[in-house]
Amino acid sequence: FRAIARTENASGYQLPKDWTITAAFRGEEVDITNPRIVPPVPEVAEMLGNNTLMGVKLSLGHDTRDDAFLPTQGHIIELGHEQVFGSFEYPITTFEARQFFTLTERIDGSGRHVLHVGGQAGWAGSDTPAYDHFYAGGYSTIRGFGFRGASPKSGDVIVGGEFQLLGTAEYMFPITADDMLRGVVFVDAGTVEEKHKIDWDDFRVAPGFGL
């Protein structure tokens, strides 16, 4: 069981030409009790009880997308680094880049067919507890797997990892004339590793389609 009391604040400054720099602080109390498996696996045993977490993060981003919710052209690039203090002390560095291309559209700008390619990488320090590890599986990471279903395990327990490398390519197209219904075909790929080394036997590839 995990109970979290969280405080989070962020402030940002809009720089010229689509650049943004953001500073953020988060504070959490993470209480972990009654593990499902007794005795617990080492990754769970080390964080049993009450844990305090205070993180300071600085991010730099460049965003030229035409729409934040459903972009059809432009790109977004973000580099972030967080230093965490408290019961555990560790850094977390993340990088994400996505590019959107409009392949074809109607004269009035509707009915756009969009190609999207992107990737993200993450690195966390060796003292990072499992509740702040990287996980893969699910809509925002590797579709076709259950929530966290493509993540490292310790025994039968999903514990995540300290390194992730994910990529995606998808093609979205309108099905109805009013663009309210769209189809998408995609390939997601990547891995989350317990340590900072890629085991290519763990690399997952998931093609699929959706509406």
Side-chain angles (χ1 to χ4, degrees):
F1 176 75
R2 173 185 178 187
I4 300 177
R6 173 177 296 176
T7 301
E8 188 164 350
N9 293 287
S11 60
Y13 179 71
Q14 186 69 42
L15 302 176
K17 297 182 180 179
D18 305 311
W19 287 94
T20 302
I21 187 169
T22 303
F25 169 81
R26 63 172 173 143
E28 297 182 10
E29 291 284 342
V30 182
D31 188 27
I32 298 177
T33 58
N34 300 323
R36 178 172 56 89
I37 296 177
V38 180
V41 298
E43 293 83 354
V44 174
E46 70 178 4
M47 57 185 191
L48 285 176
N50 183 266
N51 301 272
T52 61
L53 181 158
M54 293 176 290
V56 179
K57 183 176 182 179
L58 187 66
S59 301
L60 179 66
H62 189 244
D63 190 351
T64 65
R65 296 173 298 171
D66 57 345
D67 187 285
F69 176 68
L70 194 64
T72 61
Q73 58 187 6
H75 69 254
I76 180 170
I77 302 172
E78 183 173 280
L79 174 66
H81 180 78
E82 181 180 30
Q83 181 61 50
V84 178
F85 305 93
S87 301
F88 301 89
E89 295 187 8
Y90 50 93
I92 299 177
T93 301
T94 57
F95 175 76
E96 181 173 6
R98 299 183 182 277
Q99 177 71 53
F100 300 86
F101 304 92
T102 296
L103 302 181
T104 183
E105 62 183 335
R106 302 188 187 102
I107 296 178
D108 62 359
S110 63
R112 292 186 173 185
H113 292 235
V114 179
L115 174 66
H116 160 218
V117 293
Q120 51 185 306
W123 178 90
S126 58
D127 197 34
T128 307
Y131 56 75
D132 234 7
H133 275 173
F134 298 108
Y135 293 87
Y139 177 74
S140 62
T141 53
I142 303 180
R143 290 165 284 190
F145 288 87
F147 177 65
R148 296 187 172 182
S151 306
K153 290 183 176 182
S154 179
D156 293 329
V157 181
I158 297 175
V159 295
E162 297 169 0
F163 176 79
Q164 75 168 4
L165 181 65
L166 305 174
T168 188
E170 68 175 25
Y171 172 59
M172 181 176 290
F173 53 93
I175 293 178
T176 58
D178 58 4
D179 290 345
M180 292 299 292
L181 182 62
R182 302 167 186 260
V184 60
V185 292
F186 62 85
V187 176
D188 292 341
T191 182
V192 171
E193 301 288 347
E194 293 184 56
K195 300 300 179 182
H196 310 129
K197 180 181 179 180
I198 295 179
D199 182 348
W200 293 106
D201 290 337
D202 296 332
F203 203 83
R204 313 295 183 92
V205 178
F209 64 92
L211 300 176

